[in-house]
Amino acid sequence: MEVEQLPDQVREFAEYLRNLLARLDQDAGWCGIFWQRDPDGMRVCLTGAEVPPWDVVEALLQDLGVGGGSCEAEVEAEAVRARALHRASLTAFDARAGGRELLGDRLDVMLREQRYAAGRQVELAQLLHAAATREQAEAMRLDLAWARDDHERATARCAELHRRIADLDRRPSPPPVPLPQQHPQPAPPEPPKRSEPSKERKRRPRGSARFAGMPAEAAPADDAPLPAALAVQGPLRDAVASPRGARFAGAAEGETTAPPAPQHLDSEARAAIAACVGTLLRLRAEGRGGEAHGVLVEAAHWPAARFPLLASELGRAGLGADWATLLWETASLPADLLVAAADALAAAGRTADAQQILRQGVARPATEIGASVLRLTGEGRHRETRALLDAYVRVRTPEEAARSVRDDPGRLVPLLAEAARGVSDERYWDVVHALRVAGFHA
């Protein structure tokens, strides 16, 4: 964004951010890590060309409380002001022409960042278990803690991007933004001077401190392990009218097939669930959150039939937050396993959980959805295909849905159109229009 075109709210937040950093030690705390990991990201945010994710601002406020000489009450008051300025800045930033498409692209980047972090946690948990010496174990614990931080930040940024997309979708179309006047605003001052990072500072592993989601080059490769889940609260958009057709988990009339009946667990499965809950209780009591998260990532890959009992046992043990985390991880599973997990939860009466992981699971890139549908239909798994597409057309915009058919329009367009018709007539015609604009005919 050109400096002269900066909206007032964006310019105001950039000025606030520069003043905040001027109060901090540039080489200490999170501020020092951000400068070390992504100096370019810091600079563009300080000039107003970008708005940083909220978790970055929150970390800088944490530095203010630790080393900035401010008391807890002052930091809390500062956080309230920062949040208001940040929200206003995002609203103005996203309202620019092309803002909706940019948010979608950044969400795809963050999904890849998130799934890399999830896979890294699994890998490090296995290495920690196999560590031969105390030194190796300590190194693995440190890396695992950073990997968990990576995943938490990526998850928070995905949720923030989803909220911004939903807010933008609810707004009326704004009038065209006028071109800059003849007297452009002066350029903002340069970011505060800072010394080079200390060479003694241990270089941390890749991940959270980068402003992931800004430059596309920062994203991990597309073949990084594990697709990503999203930590979102409730539906991503207002529900469309008159749900019908092949809606999964709690469908109204017209559902063609029902999820399978609950499966009985053998003694081995019950013992594994008890051991998992016991391990989580111990790790949480010892403050070993990174390892606990690794246990949850592994549990997400268990047979789907175990999930309802695991949910009950986690709730009974006071580990409801861990169940929420496990749901996020479950939403990252390949489409067939995702639908199997939703089946098991719905059959056990946990319909809200089933719907949640489907909503979160279809937040992955459009091309992944299309590939999953092709694979499921190729295997003759039509009910799972309908469940996946139904959730997809409810959660994603018609334009995003249209992008999912590119790999095989002949097979995917009819399936997508049928799923949209099952949601509502309005959604059907919106999807058909988006397909036509994209060059496909339903």
Side-chain angles (χ1 to χ4, degrees):
M1 184 192 300
E2 296 296 333
V3 169
E4 348 9 344
Q5 294 177 298
L6 285 178
D8 291 343
Q9 299 91 331
V10 176
R11 190 167 57 253
E12 183 179 7
F13 181 77
E15 182 179 1
Y16 169 81
L17 192 63
R18 291 193 297 271
N19 291 336
L20 174 62
L21 262 68
R23 300 162 63 184
L24 303 177
D25 182 345
Q26 302 288 294
D27 294 320
W30 283 110
C31 186
I33 293 175
F34 291 143
W35 273 117
Q36 182 185 21
R37 296 300 298 165
D38 191 9
D40 291 338
M42 289 286 282
R43 292 188 187 100
V44 296
C45 290
L46 290 170
T47 62
E50 290 284 356
V51 181
W54 173 248
D55 69 274
V56 172
V57 183
E58 199 170 35
L60 294 174
L61 291 170
Q62 180 182 333
D63 284 354
L64 185 65
V66 172
S70 298
C71 67
E72 183 177 350
E74 291 173 335
V75 173
E76 289 180 358
E78 192 75 23
V80 171
R81 181 187 176 212
R83 172 63 93 174
L85 292 172
H86 185 260
R87 282 288 183 95
S89 181
L90 289 181
T91 299
F93 191 88
D94 295 342
R96 301 166 304 145
R100 178 63 173 75
E101 183 177 0
L102 178 62
L103 288 175
D105 291 342
R106 289 184 176 175
L107 178 58
D108 286 348
V109 171
M110 284 314 309
L111 289 170
R112 295 196 296 271
E113 180 76 16
Q114 190 184 42
R115 71 180 176 189
Y116 176 90
R120 181 67 174 154
Q121 286 181 93
V122 174
E123 175 189 358
L124 289 169
Q126 294 170 345
L127 292 173
L128 176 62
H129 183 71
T133 66
R134 182 175 180 178
E135 289 75 15
Q136 289 177 351
E138 287 302 319
M140 289 302 102
R141 288 193 183 97
L142 177 61
D143 287 349
L144 188 56
W146 277 120
R148 185 189 182 196
D149 183 69
D150 294 346
H151 188 265
E152 289 176 350
R153 287 187 185 275
T155 298
R157 292 171 190 183
C158 286
E160 181 176 286
L161 287 166
H162 265 288
R163 181 187 58 76
R164 291 165 67 181
I165 290 171
D167 288 348
L168 201 57
D169 288 345
R170 284 192 290 266
R171 295 179 211 164
S173 298
V177 178
L179 293 174
Q181 300 299 316
Q182 294 296 323
H183 304 288
Q185 307 248 349
E190 289 295 315
K193 298 293 183 182
R194 58 179 301 276
S195 60
E196 290 300 315
S198 171
K199 296 184 181 298
E200 287 76 26
R201 182 188 292 131
K202 178 178 175 63
R203 182 177 178 86
R204 67 175 296 274
R206 68 169 304 287
S208 67
R210 292 186 300 106
F211 285 31
M214 289 187 177
E217 310 89 88
D222 284 328
D223 59 354
L226 295 179
L230 296 177
V232 293
Q233 301 297 323
L236 300 180
R237 60 183 70 252
D238 294 336
V240 291
S242 305
R244 60 188 187 183
R247 182 181 182 185
F248 173 78
E253 53 191 343
E255 186 171 10
T256 56
T257 55
Q263 300 180 35
H264 296 291
L265 298 178
D266 56 23
S267 58
E268 180 182 354
R270 292 179 179 275
I273 291 171
C276 176
V277 173
T279 299
L280 288 170
L281 284 170
R282 175 174 55 82
L283 292 174
R284 293 301 185 194
E286 296 172 358
R288 296 158 65 182
E291 293 171 64
H293 195 88
V295 171
L296 293 169
V297 171
E298 292 180 0
H301 291 78
W302 279 2
R306 296 184 182 183
F307 287 7
L309 180 59
L310 180 56
S312 298
E313 293 301 316
L314 287 172
R316 187 175 293 113
L319 297 172
D322 281 333
W323 171 243
T325 300
L326 182 58
L327 282 178
W328 301 341
E329 298 298 341
T330 303
S332 76
L333 297 173
D336 52 344
L337 299 181
L338 168 65
V339 176
D343 276 347
L345 291 169
R350 303 187 72 94
T351 304
D353 288 342
Q355 292 173 334
Q356 177 184 332
I357 63 173
L358 279 175
R359 285 196 307 268
Q360 294 174 349
V362 296
R364 62 194 73 190
T367 53
E368 285 190 25
I369 296 292
S372 297
V373 169
L374 290 173
R375 186 177 67 254
L376 289 172
T377 54
E379 296 171 357
R381 304 173 72 170
H382 302 298
R383 191 189 63 75
E384 288 90 340
T385 300
R386 288 193 297 271
L388 185 67
L389 282 175
D390 178 82
Y392 186 57
V393 297
R394 290 175 185 277
V395 171
R396 306 301 290 267
T397 66
E399 293 74 21
E400 290 166 333
R403 289 202 292 267
S404 69
V405 307
R406 290 176 180 171
D407 288 347
D408 193 339
R411 294 170 62 190
L412 291 172
V413 167
L415 292 171
L416 184 67
E418 179 186 359
R421 190 187 294 277
V423 172
S424 71
D425 290 338
E426 181 183 1
R427 181 51 55 93
Y428 170 74
W429 288 113
D430 286 346
V431 169
V432 167
H433 175 72
L435 287 168
R436 288 173 179 167
V437 170
F440 307 111
H441 295 285

